[in-house]
Amino acid sequence: MNNINLADFFELTPDLVWLAGKDGYLKKVNRSVVEKLGYSLEELYSRPVKDFMHPDDVEITILNREKLISGEVMHNFCNRYVTKTGNIIWMEWTSLYLVEKDIILAIAKDITARKKIEKEVTDNYNKFKGLASHFKNRIEKDRKYFAYELHEELAQLVSVINMDVGWLNLNIDDLPVKVKQRVEHTSEVCKLLIKTIQRLSFSISPKMLDDFGLHNTMEWLCKEFSILNSISCDFESNCDEAKISTEIKIDIFRICQDALTEVLDYSRAGSIMIYIKEINNSIELSIFDSRNGFKPGLEKQQSGMVSITERATSINGSVTLYMLPEEGSGICILLPAKIHDLVTAI
């Protein structure tokens, strides 16, 4: 063991190893550096290290070198170098500053193959994200068309029927009592049908989002839920909805729809509270039930929670279920504010 020569390891290791001064010039490199970069020793020693780097990585590398000299040890730092033939290779570095020698020891692995795989994965991820966004937008467009047909066509036809029934009641004298009662009943049914169509149209595609914005639409949704189900449902928000993209507004609305349905399907709900908060560049959507309408641990068994999770995941959102002892349960969803924040590098 005492006969081991560290200089042999320096030359034989497949990793790139070099010693560099604070002035940014190389002092000593091993054979792997020469083989990877393709420059001669004379070329490597005569130019500053930054000359061999990819231009886009020079600034961040210099900043990290300053931290290194101030005492930090650099682990897993990645940057790119340009070989003599013009190829770009990725390096992952572990470096430390040897104070007593006033020199930087740096050891790197060539991770170009790994970076190519990561890029392929990222490209596929972006492609499928784009497809998911396309199909979701297509569905919303179809919903909007269907809602329009319901509201503008079907509801109008029912209104015409109601007007005709009313005309009969006003213009035909001496209608038998039973016929008159049936006419009045038909008129009431028509009015109820119009309201039902309007409610269905809103549920399918809330035109209010375009006309009055997210906050007003959410207040209307909560009010409607309270009236129809006799359950208290309130909404609060402290965020500037101008910062939220139209796509995210639609997702927030759909998630709230699914969550309210979930409460009704799986629990004797208590009071519901929906909050929207702005946190840095993200939106926090919190839906709280004063009882236990949301059951952590069972979300995979519940189609509503699956739908909420899938919708949130499709826009890089995260879903957390929580319970407060004797106080209720809730869902917390963290969403990006803008559609351009949806795709991030893996």
Side-chain angles (χ1 to χ4, degrees):
M1 201 69 173
N2 293 330
N3 294 326
I4 293 178
N5 189 343
L6 294 179
D8 292 338
F9 285 97
F10 183 86
E11 287 299 331
L12 295 176
T13 179
D15 292 339
L16 289 78
V17 184
W18 68 38
L19 300 174
K22 289 193 294 185
D23 59 0
Y25 282 79
L26 295 171
K27 306 304 179 185
K28 186 174 178 59
V29 301
N30 70 348
R31 185 185 307 169
S32 295
V33 174
V34 175
E35 292 174 352
K36 284 290 181 183
L37 296 182
Y39 295 97
S40 66
L41 288 175
E42 292 75 15
E43 290 171 317
L44 290 169
Y45 293 151
S46 63
R47 296 162 56 186
V49 178
K50 66 181 181 62
D51 282 5
F52 306 108
M53 293 179 197
H54 190 284
D56 293 344
D57 293 345
V58 171
E59 184 176 353
I60 186 66
T61 304
I62 291 175
L63 289 174
N64 275 272
R65 188 179 66 190
E66 291 173 355
K67 293 179 182 179
L68 183 67
I69 292 173
S70 67
E72 293 185 27
V73 177
M74 186 190 301
H75 292 290
N76 304 323
F77 172 73
C78 299
N79 63 359
R80 290 164 291 179
Y81 286 80
V82 181
T83 68
K84 190 170 184 177
T85 57
N87 294 325
I88 296 174
I89 58 175
W90 277 93
M91 303 287 197
E92 185 176 69
W93 296 91
T94 296
S95 307
L96 70 157
Y97 176 56
L98 305 175
V99 180
E100 66 281 2
K101 301 289 187 180
D102 194 27
I103 203 165
I104 296 170
L105 170 63
I107 303 173
K109 292 183 180 296
D110 180 354
I111 58 168
T112 306
R114 190 182 83 192
K115 283 292 183 179
K116 287 181 179 178
I117 294 173
E118 288 178 357
K119 185 178 185 304
E120 290 176 6
V121 172
T122 301
D123 289 344
N124 287 332
Y125 174 85
N126 292 343
K127 180 178 70 174
F128 290 124
K129 277 287 183 180
L131 285 173
S133 179
H134 167 76
F135 288 129
K136 189 165 61 176
N137 290 338
R138 180 71 256 181
I139 291 171
E140 288 296 337
K141 187 175 181 179
D142 291 342
R143 282 174 180 255
K144 185 173 291 187
Y145 172 78
F146 184 46
Y148 176 85
E149 291 296 311
L150 271 177
H151 189 271
E152 301 299 328
E153 299 293 336
L154 188 56
Q156 292 297 331
L157 289 174
V158 177
S159 296
V160 171
I161 294 172
N162 189 38
M163 291 171 61
D164 288 343
V165 170
W167 184 90
L168 291 173
N169 197 27
L170 292 172
N171 292 280
I172 298 180
D173 298 328
D174 301 324
L175 278 175
V177 175
K178 288 187 176 180
V179 173
K180 190 176 182 65
Q181 289 175 343
R182 182 59 63 182
V183 167
E184 290 174 352
H185 178 263
T186 302
S187 179
E188 291 301 318
V189 170
C190 285
K191 292 175 183 178
L192 180 61
L193 181 56
I194 290 171
K195 288 183 179 180
T196 302
I197 291 172
Q198 290 172 338
R199 187 167 61 250
L200 286 173
S201 175
F202 174 84
S203 178
I204 293 170
S205 182
K207 192 174 184 295
M208 281 184 69
L209 273 175
D210 297 327
D211 295 340
F212 302 107
L214 177 63
H215 293 166
N216 289 330
T217 303
M218 289 302 305
E219 287 174 355
W220 193 96
L221 175 66
C222 291
K223 183 178 180 180
E224 186 78 358
F225 180 85
S226 297
I227 292 172
L228 293 177
N229 301 288
S230 299
I231 296 173
S232 174
C233 184
D234 295 301
F235 170 74
E236 287 184 10
S237 174
N238 70 346
C239 71
D240 179 3
E241 69 173 87
K243 297 180 179 179
I244 307 175
S245 68
T246 301
E247 293 85 347
I248 302 299
K249 289 177 183 177
I250 292 173
D251 283 309
I252 288 174
F253 176 80
R254 295 295 180 206
I255 288 171
C256 289
Q257 274 187 316
D258 289 339
L260 292 176
T261 301
E262 185 75 6
V263 168
L264 291 177
D265 287 348
Y266 289 92
S267 174
R268 186 166 60 89
S271 299
I272 309 298
M273 193 69 213
I274 299 176
Y275 302 93
I276 299 179
K277 300 178 182 178
E278 183 178 350
I279 303 176
N280 297 325
N281 292 322
S282 298
I283 299 298
E284 182 183 89
L285 170 63
S286 180
I287 307 163
F288 179 75
D289 174 20
S290 62
R291 291 182 180 164
N292 63 340
F294 307 107
K295 302 178 178 65
L298 298 180
E299 60 268 32
K300 291 183 180 179
Q301 302 174 24
Q302 301 172 2
S303 60
M305 284 308 306
V306 170
S307 176
I308 290 170
T309 302
E310 288 178 348
R311 183 172 286 273
T313 301
S314 74
I315 52 173
N316 273 10
S318 60
V319 180
T320 304
L321 277 75
Y322 62 90
M323 293 194 71
L324 301 176
E326 301 181 1
E327 293 185 25
S329 58
I331 310 174
C332 183
I333 302 107
L334 199 63
L335 302 169
K338 297 289 185 181
I339 197 68
H340 59 69
D341 296 331
L342 300 188
V343 178
T344 57
I346 297 175

